[in-house]
Amino acid sequence: SKGITVSEQEKDSTFWRPVQLARDNGDCDGQLEKATYYLDNLSNPIKEISAHYYMATCLYSQNKMTEALFHYDFITTKPNNNYYTEALKYAGEITFQSKQYKLALGHFSTLENVGVTEQDLAIAKRGQFYCFHFLNNPQPTIDYAKKVLRMSDQIQKTQEYSYLFLGQSFMAIDQLDSAYSAFKKVMLMTKSIAAAEAKYHICEIFHLKEDYAGCEGQIMELVKQKPSYDYWLAKGIILLGNNFISLKD
């Protein structure tokens, strides 16, 4: 039996060598071909995780995301390997981009639990924040928006959307004053579409509080800003109509 074990190891080593050679040469097609052969022809491949990782990174670089995800997912089912956190990051990214927010949330949540570097934890928190928002889950969105805003080295766009989604989530749970504060922060930071949306939500808050004169004033400010974002301007005009009806009542 000892001879069989050695021969299996030799076979493994022989089949692995071309995979590693293709990797060292940056030959993606070679890696995919040789790694597939390696996995298909060994009953218990020693470098199984590495083979899947090499295939995943190659397919990702070729923009074949569904195929790449298959291999990243395989790695995430085998914790305690060298590629585990890397696989969680990419699996989270791919599922998020394809709007599979529940799956992405699972990957980012696990990454937060096992990640060690600041970068890993930042990706995990940001990922969960966006997932909770798109899953219309206001309280966790609030919690993770606060986590994201506490992180250093955030790009401005992330901060804008953290405050914007924070405001929307506060509105969803009827915390209108907190929502107002968050939307004001957005408007102080930018003149982008996020600011036009924030201004519209401020108009909505005045309307919800039945301060119809205040609402009208806010809508006039929105119109004066002449936002190049017609959608939010149109929404403001519709709200103005609702506001007049409410005033008559």
Side-chain angles (χ1 to χ4, degrees), residues 88-131:
L88 285 168
K89 274 191 284 194
Y90 282 101
E93 180 199 317
I94 293 167
T95 46
F96 181 84
Q97 293 298 343
S98 60
K99 300 185 178 178
Q100 299 177 75
Y101 300 122
K102 278 188 180 170
L103 288 175
L105 185 61
H107 292 308
F108 290 131
S109 173
T110 306
L111 182 61
E112 188 180 11
N113 291 331
V114 301
V116 279
T117 68
E118 284 298 315
Q119 189 195 27
D120 285 350
L121 294 173
I123 289 167
K125 289 170 189 172
R126 266 199 312 271
Q128 287 175 90
F129 158 64
Y130 282 113
C131 286

Side-chain angles (χ1 to χ4, degrees), residues 44-59:
N44 195 16
I46 297 166
K47 304 269 195 181
E48 183 178 41
I49 299 291
S50 295
H52 280 284
Y53 181 73
Y54 290 1
M55 293 175 84
T57 54
C58 274
L59 289 161

Side-chain angles (χ1 to χ4, degrees), residues 5-247:
T5 310
V6 171
S7 97
E8 272 300 308
Q9 283 185 339
E10 283 177 353
K11 194 175 167 186
D12 193 292
S13 177
T14 303
F15 287 175
W16 180 251
R17 212 168 290 123
V19 183
Q20 192 60 54
L21 187 64
R23 183 74 173 182
D24 295 342
N25 290 333
D27 173 8
C28 258
D29 290 336
Q31 285 174 71
L32 292 168
E33 183 195 333
K34 303 300 182 188
T36 302
Y37 185 84
Y38 173 81
L39 291 170
D40 287 349
N41 287 279
L42 291 161
S43 54
N44 195 16
I46 297 166
K47 304 269 195 181
E48 183 178 41
I49 299 291
S50 295
H52 280 284
Y53 181 73
Y54 290 1
M55 293 175 84
T57 54
C58 274
L59 289 161
Y60 181 91
S61 74
Q62 294 173 351
N63 209 30
K64 294 176 179 172
M65 297 305 176
T66 307
E67 295 95 320
L69 182 61
F70 171 81
H71 297 286
Y72 284 128
D73 274 343
F74 179 87
I75 297 164
T76 65
T77 64
K78 313 266 185 185
N80 305 319
N81 67 72
N82 293 338
Y83 304 113
Y84 188 52
T85 55
E86 196 77 3
L88 285 168
K89 274 191 284 194
Y90 282 101
E93 180 199 317
I94 293 167
T95 46
F96 181 84
Q97 293 298 343
S98 60
K99 300 185 178 178
Q100 299 177 75
Y101 300 122
K102 278 188 180 170
L103 288 175
L105 185 61
H107 292 308
F108 290 131
S109 173
T110 306
L111 182 61
E112 188 180 11
N113 291 331
V114 301
V116 279
T117 68
E118 284 298 315
Q119 189 195 27
D120 285 350
L121 294 173
I123 289 167
K125 289 170 189 172
R126 266 199 312 271
Q128 287 175 90
F129 158 64
Y130 282 113
C131 286
F132 281 127
H133 168 73
F134 288 117
L135 288 166
N136 296 316
N137 209 332
Q139 191 55 57
T141 302
I142 291 165
D143 298 339
Y144 273 87
K146 289 176 178 176
K147 285 188 183 188
V148 169
L149 288 165
R150 280 197 295 268
M151 295 185 321
S152 56
D153 302 330
Q154 282 307 316
I155 57 168
Q156 182 169 322
K157 191 62 75 180
T158 304
Q159 288 185 316
E160 287 171 24
Y161 279 98
S162 296
Y163 281 117
L164 183 65
F165 296 165
L166 186 63
Q168 290 174 357
S169 296
F170 277 132
M171 277 187 84
I173 58 172
D174 291 324
Q175 292 190 20
L176 299 182
D177 291 339
S178 297
Y180 177 84
S181 300
F183 293 135
K184 288 296 278 187
K185 288 259 174 55
V186 179
M187 294 184 64
L188 287 169
M189 293 175 74
T190 181
K191 295 283 186 280
S192 71
I193 190 165
E197 185 174 351
K199 183 64 176 175
Y200 170 76
H201 288 314
I202 286 172
C203 300
E204 272 190 313
I205 288 169
F206 276 84
H207 186 81
L208 287 166
K209 287 186 165 187
E210 299 183 355
D211 179 354
Y212 302 124
C215 177
E216 186 180 338
Q218 291 295 322
I219 294 169
M220 290 307 154
E221 283 181 21
L222 175 66
V223 172
K224 269 185 204 152
Q225 282 174 3
K226 295 194 178 66
S228 51
Y229 311 106
D230 293 344
Y231 177 80
W232 295 109
L233 188 57
K235 294 265 286 185
I237 302 299
I238 292 164
L239 182 60
L240 186 63
N242 294 336
N243 210 52
F244 281 135
I245 293 162
S246 300
L247 269 169

